Amino acid sequence: MPDMKIMFLHGREGTPEGTKPTFLKENGYKVIAPVLPKDNWELSMRRANDCFRNFQPDIIVGSSRGGAIAAALEVGWWDTPKILIAPAWTKFSVESPLINETTTILHCREDDLVDYADSEELVRDYGCTLISCGENHRMSDSGALDSLYSVLVQTIPAER
């Protein structure tokens, strides 16, 4: 599935050239990762929506604040699978996440920035899959990256 196009939404302190998008590129995926200004939610949402419309990704991957943005994206939300990595949806007041059973959440139980219980709530309320992995909130250790890769190879892109 390396032909799969991934839209990667980085976290508040992350960058489009960070560990996770670099890992995805090194594994042969086509990755687009817009710059999401950390202090401007509305501009970050506009950039993510524009990126989705222009790139038409097969999968959306969002990390922390980027996971909150992915959960709030209205475009393609029903038929585009999402992988949310330690999604900070409650910290950014995403009241009605636009996710469903095609959404997979990767989260470390020992995360000290985003409460693991927030991800468990998404599973209860929206039927997502939750995979406990990683060593901390950054989710850039080999265990977290291996889990991300495993989810990607098991995900079949939505028909367009």
Side-chain angles (χ1 to χ4, degrees):
M1 293 224 187
D3 283 351
M4 191 182 305
K5 294 185 293 184
I6 298 172
M7 180 170 78
F8 184 85
L9 303 172
H10 64 79
R12 187 173 202 158
E13 301 301 326
T15 69
E17 299 84 27
T19 303
K20 289 178 282 293
T22 299
F23 170 81
L24 296 171
K25 290 175 187 173
E26 288 172 350
N27 278 280
Y29 293 102
K30 297 174 186 169
V31 178
I32 186 161
V35 174
L36 305 172
K38 68 180 180 177
D39 295 323
N40 191 327
W41 176 264
E42 291 78 20
L43 180 56
S44 293
M45 287 298 300
R46 276 196 312 274
R47 286 185 179 175
N49 276 297
D50 289 346
C51 182
F52 183 91
R53 285 188 189 99
N54 291 321
F55 189 59
Q56 294 294 304
D58 297 303
I59 295 180
I60 299 168
V61 177
S63 181
S64 192
R65 181 176 179 265
I69 291 168
L73 276 181
E74 293 182 11
V75 292
W77 82 270
W78 185 254
D79 61 353
T80 304
K82 295 178 181 179
I83 300 173
L84 308 180
I85 302 169
W89 66 281
T90 59
K91 290 185 181 286
F92 291 96
S93 303
V94 178
E95 294 180 17
S96 298
L98 299 173
I99 58 175
N100 58 30
E101 67 280 350
T102 66
T103 301
T104 301
I105 301 166
L106 304 177
H107 204 150
C108 175
R109 288 186 185 274
E110 291 77 32
D111 191 329
D112 61 347
L113 295 178
V114 175
D115 193 349
Y116 189 83
D118 292 346
S119 290
E120 292 175 318
E121 183 177 339
L122 294 176
V123 171
R124 273 192 314 275
D125 294 348
Y126 298 94
C128 309
T129 300
L130 174 59
I131 298 171
S132 180
C133 61
E135 296 174 359
N136 54 44
H137 179 73
R138 291 188 45 80
M139 299 289 287
S140 58
D141 58 274
S142 62
L145 295 175
D146 289 346
S147 293
L148 174 59
Y149 183 78
S150 292
V151 171
L152 286 169
V153 297
Q154 294 172 22
T155 303
I156 299 170
E159 291 295 321
R160 301 228 176 260

